[in-house]
Amino acid sequence: MNIAIRNPVPLRREEGSVQVALDPTDKIETAKVFAVYGKGGIGKSTTSSNLSVAFSRLGKRVLQIGCDPKHDSTFTLTKRLAPTVIDALESVNFHSEELRPEDYVVEGYNGVMCVEAGGPPAGTGCGGYVVGQTVKLLKEHHLLEDTDVVVFDVLGDVVCGGFASPLQHADRALIVTANDFDSIFAMNRIVAAIHAKSKNYGVRLGGVIANRSAKTDEIDRFNEAVGLRRLAHFPDLDVVRRSRLKKSTLFEMEDSPELRAVTDEYMRLAETLWAGEDPCEAVPMKDRDLFEFLGFD
């Protein structure tokens, strides 16, 4: 059952929640759309930004949309904290017709277009409103017509329907995880959310990206049990940490065999996603079953 978010007119921040009903007809139809999920702090923004660059190096026109109130998804691409959609809307008292694309879109490294949706202050509203308004603005300004790939970088927790709202627009959901208990437990919850949304929307599970892990044995064991596939593996390397400190993507760092192996893996991932694969028909485990399944030495 779909439950619409009430209060279709957004409220001012000091008056309380910023919420709105999502428009089920507001689809992105001109690009391949990927939504990147995973436990908080697992490296979704790093993965999204470098994947966006990889797509751009394949000659694709790429748009990355950060869906976190911290609005830090795209800073390695833009070298700054970009203005947010919610701040831009608030500046014109939510009269979106007064906005221009340059008010909320920033061109990043290698031509990747960057948008930070932002969000309401903590405890005051639903992030789904901002995602919906971001897509509306992009369509109103015809920015999606010249886009081949859209990458949504989504806040870690998907218990809120609002932060699951990118699934309404995505073709494939990708899950970033590490080879540990907490990350896999969160991954299972994300699988459940995508499984539920896929009953009403076109989104399907694309697969799993192993990140910050020397090994992938527990990830692979879980994937086999529920029906997932691993698409890529990025070990925990110091060059990744340094790239964040330098506010740069991995493709801008000084060349080395270690770095080349990582960027080659991103290029391979982008090629795989662009070519398209059959979706994963995964079935999540019950929490208690997963607790017993994840028995580490």
Side-chain angles (χ1 to χ4, degrees):
M1 178 176 64
N2 289 329
I3 302 175
I5 302 170
R6 303 305 179 190
N7 299 334
V9 179
L11 303 175
R12 296 173 64 87
R13 284 185 175 179
E14 63 267 27
E15 294 173 349
S17 297
V18 179
Q19 300 187 24
V20 75
L22 299 178
D23 184 352
T25 65
D26 204 15
K27 298 289 292 179
I28 299 174
E29 300 174 344
T30 55
K32 291 191 176 185
V33 185
F34 303 95
V36 180
Y37 282 90
K39 185 178 77 69
I42 200 62
K44 294 180 298 298
S45 294
T46 299
T47 301
S48 298
S49 296
N50 286 293
L51 179 59
S52 290
V53 174
F55 276 125
S56 74
R57 291 202 165 196
L58 293 178
K60 310 306 177 186
R61 299 165 298 181
V62 186
L63 171 68
Q64 181 168 320
I65 303 175
C67 303
D68 191 320
K70 297 196 307 297
H71 61 98
D72 62 349
S73 169
T74 61
F75 82 85
T76 59
L77 291 161
T78 64
K79 319 308 177 200
R80 65 188 179 101
L81 288 179
T84 70
V85 169
I86 193 68
D87 287 338
L89 283 169
E90 192 176 47
S91 72
V92 295
N93 200 25
F94 293 94
H95 294 293
S96 61
E97 68 278 3
E98 298 181 19
L99 290 179
R100 303 164 299 169
E102 55 264 35
D103 293 328
Y104 63 95
V105 182
V106 178
E107 183 172 347
Y109 175 70
N110 209 43
V112 175
M113 303 308 294
C114 303
V115 174
E116 293 285 354
T124 64
C126 179
Y129 163 75
V130 191
V131 173
Q133 287 300 299
T134 297
V135 174
K136 285 180 182 295
L137 280 173
L138 292 168
K139 294 188 82 168
E140 287 172 6
H141 290 136
H142 306 287
L143 296 175
L144 294 173
E145 296 171 9
D146 296 323
T147 301
D148 300 311
V149 176
V150 177
V151 177
F152 282 100
D153 174 18
V154 189
L155 186 72
D157 199 346
V158 295
V159 295
C160 168
F163 286 115
S165 62
L167 297 175
Q168 174 179 323
H169 306 287
D171 302 306
R172 292 287 184 269
L174 310 174
I175 305 176
V176 181
T177 186
N179 198 50
D180 59 52
F181 181 96
D182 292 329
S183 300
I184 296 173
F185 202 90
M187 174 165 59
N188 188 65
R189 299 298 297 272
I190 294 166
V191 171
I194 297 166
H195 184 73
K197 289 293 181 183
S198 66
K199 295 176 182 177
N200 297 306
Y201 301 133
V203 65
R204 297 293 183 269
L205 273 163
V208 175
I209 299 169
N211 194 45
R212 294 183 177 175
S213 301
K215 297 181 179 180
T216 64
D217 52 335
E218 294 297 334
I219 296 172
D220 296 338
R221 194 165 70 91
F222 173 80
N223 287 350
E224 184 177 2
V226 301
L228 284 171
R229 74 169 68 90
R230 175 163 52 85
L231 296 171
H233 175 208
F234 301 105
D236 189 9
L237 300 175
D238 189 59
V239 67
V240 178
R241 180 191 64 82
R242 287 188 284 110
S243 73
R244 301 285 288 179
L245 291 174
K246 287 180 174 291
K247 302 181 178 65
S248 298
T249 67
L250 289 165
F251 290 86
E252 301 167 80
M253 299 292 286
E254 184 177 351
D255 189 34
S256 70
E258 179 184 67
L259 177 68
R260 204 172 308 121
V262 177
T263 54
D264 285 351
E265 181 76 340
Y266 272 110
M267 292 303 302
R268 188 188 64 78
L269 175 60
E271 290 169 354
T272 298
L273 293 173
W274 180 257
E277 288 190 346
D278 291 337
C280 300
E281 300 295 337
V283 178
M285 294 185 185
K286 298 290 186 182
D287 285 351
R288 292 184 184 279
D289 294 336
L290 181 61
F291 185 84
E292 295 299 328
F293 179 83
L294 293 174
F296 292 2
D297 292 333

